[in-house]
Amino acid sequence: ATLRVQAADAVFVGEDLHADIEGAHGVGMKTIWLEHIQPPATVRVAPDAVIEELGQLPQALAMILNI
């Protein structure tokens, strides 16, 4: 199914800095990293926000979207 949303208008939440955050950033999405483990030594792209549990997602979204 197609959502018909531009990448710049989407926020991607992921656990893997390389596969999720770098990939989403690469197509122009804002990103939130659900941090469960230590970050890898080399991170090419920083997430727009970092959360430790999904309960923090509304606050992170509000910060990223300025709402």
Side-chain angles (χ1 to χ4, degrees):
T2 302
L3 296 176
R4 297 189 177 126
V5 174
Q6 296 295 317
D9 296 328
V11 178
F12 191 94
V13 180
E15 298 175 311
D16 187 305
L17 276 174
H18 290 295
D20 297 333
I21 303 306
E22 288 181 5
H25 181 78
V27 298
M29 293 181 178
K30 293 175 181 66
T31 57
I32 299 175
W33 179 37
L34 179 57
E35 180 183 28
H36 287 297
I37 57 172
Q38 291 286 65
T42 57
V43 178
R44 290 172 268 178
V45 176
D48 294 293
V50 178
I51 60 175
E52 294 177 357
E53 58 185 40
L54 288 176
Q56 298 169 318
L57 186 57
Q59 182 179 3
L61 285 169
M63 180 193 72
I64 288 174
L65 301 174
N66 296 315
I67 54 173

